Amino acid sequence: MEPTRVEVAYCEGWDAAAHAAFRPLKEQTARERHNAGRRYAALLGIDGEPRALVQVDTGAGYVGVFAFDLAGRRSLKFSYRDLGDHLMLRELKAWRHMDDDEPEFGADLRITFRFWPDEPVRATLDDARRGQFTSHVKLPGPLHRIPLLEFGRWPVDGWLLGAFEPLEFVTAADPEREAEGPFWAPWSAPEGARPTALEALFAPGTRIRNGQGDVFEVREPEPVGRLRLGTGRIVAADPATVELQGEQAVEPYTVTLTPGEYRVETARVRAVGRGTDVVAAARVRVSDEPVATWELALRPGQDERLLGASEFFGFVVDSGTAAFMDASAVRALAAYQDADDAEAAEATIPRDGNSELLTFPCGKGDGSYPVWIGRDAVGSVTCLVADMRLLGRGVEVEAPKDGAGNAMETARQVPGIPQLEVHDVAGIEAFSSQGILEFFNDTADAQAEFWARRMGR
């Protein structure tokens, strides 16, 4: 059988309005970006029609693959993350359109499967008419693992492209010239949550404005007490419910401190026009050195590479109260939990504020909150900050100027320190969309039928 000819054109991304590649690139440019860890895209077409778009950002460890439907819309997306020795499918998403007139990404039914290395798949159906339905299903075999990406060897097959195999990939002619000048990138690799104005939250007099137009005034930090760390291993958790949240909730972070006593304080802000202060963060102060970098605090087994857009690994709060505690604070935790009410629970903490368990209120109440580790210029830990994520998006710090008229500096973010088990990853085979899509469609159809019966429709 004659091979199906697949033309590969390089570009910055896809222009849905023009139904064409956005800012075409030369093959050499794309190859150089691949090797340098910079993003690019490869548009795969058959007989002049787009069939797949491969988005690559080797620096961010991301590969995304879109498949086009017969109406020329991106209707299926594979999102892979680089785990060092293989690519793991982190998310598979489909937009099921009812007709050709529905806009791209505007389908009434959206189906999303989220994958983790050793956990069941979380399947979510979003129906514009019926609402949302989520369940967990077991993946039959390692269908979500494929080899690392090599330039020119794209994770597509005939099943995905709607073409007969074998496939013959042919590079399209280079553009005569590449577009120059700044532009708005049509896509970016999913990026986890970032620390937001943490330095400013502990600088009294600072004004912070968010994208919704809210303005916050930073108040004086309020001392909580001195945290006694006998082991140097620290935990952040809801002291009232932590044991109900599973073993990982009481696991200390992978970063350890020298055993001793450390000051704990809360950052308080007041929204302009309101009369009460709200706790925006809590900080364990290790030293007075300025923070040069921030990193996400991780527990054993947590892999930052798997985080999606704006996601983080955090501690869960169900009682409106959180705590920093030493890993050995078993007695203090038991006394807190055995109290008859919240007031009695707080009374179990010594009045001098010197304890292996110190509590603080959460500004947004119940939820999940990240802890950020600050390091100084030589890499030593200077603080841990539990961020209540109170400020919102689009934050702008109106910081007081120093004597030289310079604005407050913001520390850069670096990867956290993971503590991962070494697994013998077996079953890594070349990309095959048939198995994973058959599992995806069968599961989604069964769930949709179950959901319809449950809803009586």
Side-chain angles (χ1 to χ4, degrees):
M1 179 181 293
E2 288 292 321
T4 300
R5 180 185 176 94
V6 181
E7 189 173 73
V8 182
Y10 299 97
C11 54
E12 297 285 0
W14 176 250
D15 186 337
H19 198 68
F22 177 70
R23 293 176 71 111
L25 300 173
K26 297 178 181 179
E27 180 186 16
Q28 184 60 30
T29 300
R31 187 184 296 273
E32 291 172 356
R33 290 191 183 185
H34 183 97
N35 295 332
R38 298 171 56 201
R39 67 176 172 231
Y40 68 94
L43 180 63
L44 281 58
I46 298 176
D47 296 332
E49 291 295 326
R51 296 296 178 92
L53 178 73
V54 183
Q55 298 175 159
V56 182
D57 188 337
T58 52
Y62 171 76
V63 178
V65 182
F66 278 105
F68 290 81
D69 63 13
L70 296 177
R73 297 168 297 203
R74 289 169 290 181
S75 61
L76 182 68
K77 183 182 182 182
F78 296 77
S79 294
Y80 285 94
R81 305 311 297 255
D82 186 339
L83 297 189
D85 56 358
H86 69 283
L87 294 179
M88 195 196 96
L89 181 60
R90 184 65 179 88
E91 182 178 87
L92 177 56
K93 190 167 188 174
W95 293 263
R96 289 194 172 178
H97 298 276
M98 300 300 294
D99 55 57
D100 291 346
D101 295 328
E102 283 188 333
E104 186 175 63
F105 306 142
D108 284 346
L109 179 60
R110 301 179 304 279
I111 307 167
T112 306
F113 280 19
R114 302 293 303 277
F115 300 81
W116 291 95
D118 301 307
E119 298 179 16
V121 180
R122 189 182 74 185
T124 302
L125 279 67
D126 283 296
D127 191 304
R129 294 167 295 175
R130 295 174 177 170
Q132 186 180 92
F133 175 71
T134 299
S135 64
H136 293 81
V137 292
K138 185 177 180 180
L139 183 67
L143 300 174
H144 59 319
R145 303 179 189 275
I146 63 173
L148 295 175
L149 179 70
E150 298 179 22
F151 186 85
R153 298 178 63 89
W154 312 114
V156 299
D157 57 12
W159 184 279
L160 185 71
L161 299 179
F164 290 107
E165 296 188 350
L167 304 176
E168 179 185 11
F169 294 93
V170 179
T171 303
D174 282 339
E176 292 185 4
R177 59 185 298 273
E178 296 176 336
E180 299 178 352
F183 65 95
W184 185 269
W187 69 277
S188 61
E191 184 180 62
R194 302 184 64 85
T196 303
L198 298 184
E199 301 92 341
L201 288 175
F202 292 90
T206 300
R207 289 169 62 93
I208 302 173
R209 185 187 303 273
N210 66 18
Q212 291 74 47
D214 302 317
V215 178
F216 300 90
E217 295 178 344
V218 179
R219 318 293 281 183
E220 286 284 344
E222 182 169 307
V224 175
R226 298 186 69 84
L227 181 65
R228 190 168 61 247
L229 295 180
T231 67
R233 303 167 68 212
I234 192 168
V235 177
D238 183 330
T241 63
V242 62
E243 292 181 338
L244 303 176
Q245 298 167 12
E247 294 182 0
Q248 192 174 62
V250 295
E251 283 273 8
Y253 293 113
T254 58
V255 171
T256 60
L257 305 177
T258 302
E261 295 181 0
Y262 299 95
R263 289 173 292 164
V264 176
E265 58 191 356
T266 56
R268 294 178 176 266
V269 299
R270 178 177 295 183
V272 173
R274 299 181 184 177
T276 57
D277 295 348
V278 182
V279 173
R283 175 170 67 176
V284 178
R285 298 196 67 168
V286 181
S287 78
D288 294 327
E289 292 296 318
V291 174
T293 62
W294 292 108
E295 65 193 57
L296 182 63
L298 301 173
R299 291 187 168 97
Q302 293 178 336
D303 192 342
E304 205 171 357
R305 297 171 298 182
L306 296 175
L307 292 176
S310 300
E311 291 182 341
F312 57 87
F313 294 111
F315 64 94
V316 176
V317 174
D318 292 318
S319 70
T321 298
F324 284 123
M325 66 186 83
D326 185 70
S328 64
V330 178
R331 291 184 180 178
L333 187 61
Y336 188 95
Q337 294 175 341
D338 289 343
D340 293 332
D341 53 40
E343 184 176 350
E346 290 298 320
T348 64
I349 299 175
R351 292 184 178 180
D352 62 3
N354 188 327
S355 175
E356 57 188 3
L357 183 152
L358 291 177
T359 62
F360 51 90
C362 295
K364 292 180 69 173
D366 297 348
S368 180
Y369 304 105
V371 172
W372 299 98
I373 298 171
R375 295 183 184 271
D376 60 23
V378 297
S380 299
V381 175
T382 183
C383 64
L384 287 85
V385 177
D387 181 11
M388 301 295 102
R389 298 178 62 81
L390 190 71
L391 301 178
R393 298 178 179 273
V395 170
E396 177 184 355
V397 178
E398 301 174 359
K401 307 290 184 178
D402 60 19
N406 299 316
M408 182 181 299
E409 293 187 3
T410 300
R412 62 188 177 89
Q413 183 180 359
V414 298
I417 299 178
Q419 183 178 316
L420 305 174
E421 294 184 15
V422 178
H423 293 286
D424 181 15
V425 180
I428 298 178
E429 300 179 355
F431 176 86
S432 174
S433 65
Q434 181 174 355
I436 192 71
L437 289 179
E438 285 180 343
F439 163 75
F440 179 84
N441 290 326
D442 290 347
T443 302
D445 290 343
Q447 287 185 324
E449 182 179 354
F450 171 79
W451 191 16
R453 290 179 179 177
R454 186 174 181 181
M455 299 292 289
R457 302 173 189 175

